[in-house]
Each structure stands twice: as structure tokens, then as C-alpha cells.
Amino acid sequence: MRQRLFPGDHPDVALSLFHIGKNFHYLKRYQEALLIDEHALQMRQRLFSGDHRDVADSLDNIGTTYYNLKRYKEALPMQQQALQMRQRLLPSDHPDVIDSIKKYEQTLLLSQ
């Protein structure tokens, strides 16, 4: 529906894609989640140049999906990018930064 209302790249469409990807993830339909998450990330990167929380959230979603698929080597760079972006954007004690650190460390251990 939003894609018909807002043709091309639009923050509302990117947000809808983000939530659809999360829903597929919760349903453990990881391959479908990955496709939607990648589409949301690409759109958000076109919409928001430089560091942006929405881009970091999309990177984190993709990293989490790869992690759940046990594709740790692919999860690691996504989680690292999300962590680094969040560290630049947020205070070090922000819950999203702390969550990103935990995810990155856990994935790093499993990827070796």
C-alpha cells in the first residue's frame, strides 16, 4: 500500500519493509526476512547519506538473520558496521550500543 502511495524511495516504505522483515524473522522464515531486510537497507542507504540510526537498525537486522541462519562469517561484518555506526551516533551506554557489542562478540566467537 505504501509503495503505491509513495513511489520510489521513501522513509515510510523503508520502515514498512523493515517491519515486514522483522515479522518474517519472528516467524523463523529467515530467507524471506533476508531478502526484505536487504531491500530495506538499500533503500535506507539511498535515503540517508552517512550515519543514520535507521541504516544501523537495518544492518543489525541482516546480521541477526545471518546469525540465525548460522552464517556467522556473513553476520559479522553486518554486526560490526551496525555497532560502529551506533557508537558514532549514540552514547556508549545506550541500550542499542550495548546490544550490538553483545551480538558482535557472540558472533565473533562462533565464527572462529
Side-chain angles (χ1 to χ4, degrees), residues 98-109:
I98 294 167
D99 183 57
S100 285
I101 291 169
K102 289 178 185 177
K103 286 179 182 179
Y104 180 74
E105 288 175 347
Q106 186 175 13
T107 305
L108 186 61
L109 288 172

Side-chain angles (χ1 to χ4, degrees), residues 3-110:
Q3 285 180 316
R4 282 184 275 158
L5 289 172
F6 306 111
D9 293 339
H10 192 279
D12 289 348
V13 174
L15 181 62
S16 292
L17 290 169
F18 175 82
H19 288 297
I20 291 167
K22 282 188 92 63
N23 286 328
F24 277 130
H25 189 268
Y26 293 136
L27 294 170
K28 299 185 185 327
R29 293 168 58 179
Y30 299 124
Q31 292 295 342
E32 291 164 286
L34 192 57
L35 292 173
I36 298 293
D37 288 341
E38 287 173 345
H39 187 61
L41 173 62
Q42 291 167 2
M43 186 178 292
R44 284 176 161 180
Q45 287 174 324
R46 288 189 301 267
L47 286 166
F48 310 115
S49 61
D51 292 340
H52 195 280
R53 285 188 68 178
D54 289 351
V55 174
D57 289 346
S58 286
L59 288 164
D60 182 71
N61 271 9
I62 293 170
T64 300
T65 302
Y66 278 133
Y67 179 90
N68 286 315
L69 288 167
K70 298 182 180 7
R71 292 166 58 180
Y72 306 120
K73 291 193 185 302
E74 293 167 275
L76 207 55
M78 295 296 179
Q79 291 174 336
Q80 184 177 29
Q81 288 177 64
L83 169 60
Q84 290 171 340
M85 192 173 292
R86 286 175 169 168
Q87 287 174 322
R88 289 189 296 268
L89 292 166
L90 303 167
S92 61
D93 62 345
H94 191 281
D96 288 350
V97 173
I98 294 167
D99 183 57
S100 285
I101 291 169
K102 289 178 185 177
K103 286 179 182 179
Y104 180 74
E105 288 175 347
Q106 186 175 13
T107 305
L108 186 61
L109 288 172
L110 291 170

